[in-house]
Amino acid sequence: MSVSGSMNPRIGVKDLCYKPAGVQPCLSKSFSSVFYTKNLQATGSPSNLLPPANKSVAAIVFGDGSSHSKLYPLTKRRSEGAIPIAGNYRLIDAVVSNCINSNISKIYAITQFNSTSLNSHLSRAYSGTNLIKEGFVEVIAAYQSPEDKGWFQGTADSIRRCLWMLEEYPVLEYLVIPGYHLYKMDYQKLIDVHRSSKADITVSVLSKRRNEDLGFGIFELDAKNQVIKFKEDQELKASKSISVEDSKELDNIARRNFPSMGIYVINRNTMIKLLREYFPSANDLKSEIIRGAVSLGLKVQAYQFDGYWEDMRSIEAYYRANMELTRRTNKAYNSFYDRDTPLYTLPRCIPPTLVNDAVITDSVIADGCILSRCKIKGTVVGVMTRVADEAVIEDSIIMGADTYSHQSCPGIQVGIGEGSVVRKAIVDKNARIGKNVMIINKDNVQEANKEAEGYIITGGIVVITRSAAIPDGSVI
């Protein structure tokens, strides 16, 4: 979720580099939670007496990234967290499953943009199940009230306006995470680093990439992995204009710059003070609250993550992540087949896939499909997909359908029609591809907006929009 309103001029980026009036140079001691002091007095260690994560940590998951998503048109009628992945799942399932597998059982999902599909999925998949013992997944949809008449203006604003609900449970830390990235992380390790370092805030960074802003800013770290500076993309570009004689110093700084994953562990008292007292008008968590915490002298620690992580910042990234699943490369996300850290999703009451004389290689096939005398190679096929005779699908993502269409229904049937060829494409849900259609990007177009005709092309990938109807014999 990004800022949809303008930044308050009193809390601008430049202002956050200065101390507010009356604030001491370092506030970390006053922000540190009381339990640290008690435990140190009793044991000399800050973590020995801390309760387990399922009793002391609450996760705050943001289900959507922006009202101007780079995954459009996949986000035209759904939020980013609701986008299907690997046939059976939604992107947000990876994050919720990380929480469950990390023994974090109190999960709040804050949603706003195009949230109907996501809200429905979360409610049906995780409410009233036995997956989360002594916990819950609670959806907090954007709302207006007599005190707050506008919608959420950003990540910080949404958390601030939901504090009355978040404070119901006496947790010690909040784990703040985007719900539309694909990765597997044991959040318990992140929490352990946070507690052992006695930090006010701990941020997760990518250890294998340097000096590259992936949308959540850059943290400059010292030798003890403590954050000493927060930067964003425009600041990195400015630093690259440094003179030649200072290039050695620039290289040294670059080696200490780690891209943020947008994942934060924040002490409960720290969160409340930052949002209500020190930055009560701030909208964005990344550029205002986290930056402000560093400027105020709070202890902001970094946790270096070296596993697979795909931020799904574009159609190309989404396509690549799905294709890696069909090739089973070392780069692929592997929780789909991991019995120790399984990926959870909505259980469906649909029949198994029916294959009638089809040739299928290197593909992922979801439940409820009907595949008739077709050829499928290197493709992810979503739930309840129908592929007719003589159709050929290669290196594509077919998202499937919400229901079966009957042969007696007039017009083009939902699914891939007889004799059609689909290559390097994404076919969104409930799309109707007629007979003998060629979706092959025959002119090798890199970018094209043909949404009125039911498709766009981005990065050379053809995207058929949701519920589009492509007439018989069409060539794209």
Side-chain angles (χ1 to χ4, degrees):
M1 187 183 301
S2 67
V3 176
S4 58
S6 59
M7 183 182 291
N8 189 309
R10 296 187 298 104
I11 312 290
V13 169
K14 196 174 293 185
D15 295 327
L16 292 177
C17 298
Y18 299 94
K19 293 186 297 179
V23 175
Q24 296 301 315
C26 179
L27 297 177
S28 58
K29 288 185 179 179
S30 63
F31 275 23
S32 296
S33 299
V34 176
F35 63 85
Y36 281 135
T37 305
K38 289 183 177 179
N39 286 336
L40 283 170
Q41 290 172 347
T43 67
S45 170
S47 57
N48 288 353
L49 296 182
L50 291 178
N54 67 327
K55 297 183 183 299
S56 60
V57 179
I60 302 172
V61 182
F62 289 106
D64 40 64
S66 172
S67 58
H68 305 287
S69 171
K70 294 182 180 179
L71 287 169
Y72 189 89
L74 302 182
T75 53
K76 184 176 182 178
R77 292 289 181 264
R78 62 168 77 89
S79 63
E80 292 175 334
I83 295 176
I85 185 79
N88 278 336
Y89 305 91
R90 307 288 187 106
L91 277 177
I92 202 167
D93 288 329
V95 175
V96 174
S97 297
N98 282 341
C99 291
I100 296 172
N101 294 329
S102 301
N103 200 30
I104 296 173
S105 59
K106 296 176 179 61
I107 305 169
Y108 297 92
I110 298 179
T111 65
Q112 176 158 290
F113 301 113
N114 281 334
S115 60
T116 301
S117 176
L118 181 61
N119 294 349
S120 174
H121 174 76
L122 289 170
S123 298
R124 293 188 296 154
Y126 301 104
S127 295
T129 68
N130 294 322
L131 292 178
I132 306 177
K133 297 178 180 179
E134 300 180 2
F136 54 82
V137 176
E138 186 163 344
V139 176
I140 307 177
Y143 68 90
Q144 298 185 53
S145 67
E147 297 81 17
D148 299 294
K149 298 186 182 300
W151 298 113
F152 295 158
Q153 297 302 302
T155 47
D157 179 60
S158 62
I159 294 176
R160 183 188 299 109
R161 289 171 56 179
C162 295
L163 280 176
W164 64 273
M165 188 179 301
L166 300 176
E167 290 177 304
E168 288 182 355
Y169 292 91
V171 298
L172 303 177
E173 298 105 353
Y174 293 113
L175 172 67
V176 182
I177 41 181
Y180 41 89
H181 298 163
L182 186 64
Y183 64 100
K184 180 175 73 174
M185 179 188 288
D186 183 356
Y187 295 136
Q188 189 63 60
K189 294 180 180 179
L190 170 62
I191 294 165
D192 288 344
V193 167
H194 175 78
R195 291 176 172 177
S196 63
S197 64
K198 293 181 273 187
D200 296 299
I201 300 173
T202 299
V203 300
S204 184
V205 300
L206 291 171
S207 64
K208 295 181 179 179
R209 301 166 80 165
R210 298 285 195 281
N211 217 37
E212 179 185 1
D213 188 351
L214 301 176
F216 294 96
I218 293 284
F219 291 108
E220 184 179 337
L221 310 182
D222 64 14
K224 295 182 179 180
N225 279 335
Q226 187 168 337
V227 174
I228 57 178
K229 194 173 183 180
F230 174 84
K231 309 172 186 177
E232 292 191 87
D233 189 53
Q234 62 270 24
E235 296 168 270
L236 288 175
K237 291 177 181 177
S239 67
K240 289 178 182 178
S241 63
I242 195 169
S243 59
V244 175
E245 56 268 21
D246 293 328
S247 60
K248 185 176 181 180
E249 176 62 19
L250 181 63
D251 290 340
N252 291 334
I253 294 174
R255 281 193 291 270
R256 301 197 301 267
N257 287 343
F258 292 82
S260 170
M261 301 171 66
I263 300 172
Y264 315 107
V265 177
I266 308 177
N267 290 345
R268 172 193 174 98
N269 291 349
T270 302
M271 175 88 84
I272 294 171
K273 284 180 177 289
L274 285 171
L275 291 174
R276 286 181 173 166
E277 297 180 21
Y278 292 96
F279 305 104
S281 300
N283 288 329
D284 188 57
L285 193 67
K286 169 194 69 174
S287 62
E288 297 179 85
I289 300 299
I290 301 300
R291 181 192 288 271
V294 174
S295 298
L296 290 173
L298 273 67
K299 185 173 184 180
V300 182
Q301 192 70 20
Y303 168 77
Q304 295 191 26
F305 178 71
D306 62 358
Y308 174 91
W309 184 73
E310 181 56 72
D311 62 346
M312 301 296 181
R313 285 192 300 165
S314 63
I315 292 292
E316 294 94 319
Y318 173 77
Y319 176 82
R320 180 176 62 249
N322 277 275
M323 291 300 98
E324 286 172 350
L325 297 175
T326 66
R327 295 162 189 154
R328 297 291 292 156
T329 65
N330 291 332
K331 295 180 179 179
Y333 176 78
N334 61 9
S335 263
F336 298 114
Y337 309 102
D338 190 336
R339 62 179 294 177
D340 295 323
T341 56
L343 194 67
Y344 300 101
T345 191
L346 173 69
R348 297 178 177 88
C349 296
I350 55 177
T353 288
L354 177 63
V355 180
N356 292 323
D357 199 22
V359 178
I360 304 171
T361 56
D362 300 330
S363 297
V364 174
I365 310 297
D367 299 330
C369 300
I370 301 175
L371 312 176
S372 303
R373 296 178 56 208
C374 56
K375 294 182 179 180
I376 300 175
K377 180 181 179 182
T379 294
V380 174
V381 181
V383 294
M384 301 175 72
T385 295
R386 181 192 65 86
V387 182
D389 294 354
E390 306 302 327
V392 177
I393 308 175
E394 297 177 351
D395 302 325
S396 297
I397 304 167
I398 313 298
M399 290 192 181
D402 293 319
T403 185
Y404 297 113
S405 60
H406 298 287
Q407 296 293 332
S408 58
C409 295
I412 303 171
Q413 303 294 305
V414 174
I416 312 300
E418 183 177 336
S420 292
V421 177
V422 180
R423 187 175 295 122
K424 197 180 179 181
I426 300 173
V427 180
D428 206 341
K429 265 195 169 185
N430 300 325
R432 302 166 184 265
I433 310 300
K435 298 178 181 179
N436 301 310
V437 172
M438 305 289 285
I439 304 176
I440 55 176
N441 194 6
K442 65 181 182 66
D443 297 323
N444 196 27
V445 176
Q446 293 303 299
E447 303 292 332
N449 186 353
K450 299 285 185 179
E451 191 173 349
E453 300 173 30
Y455 71 95
I456 70 163
I457 301 176
T458 179
I461 302 165
V462 180
V463 182
I464 306 298
T465 59
R466 184 183 179 100
S467 302
I470 308 299
D472 297 349
S474 298
V475 178
I476 299 175

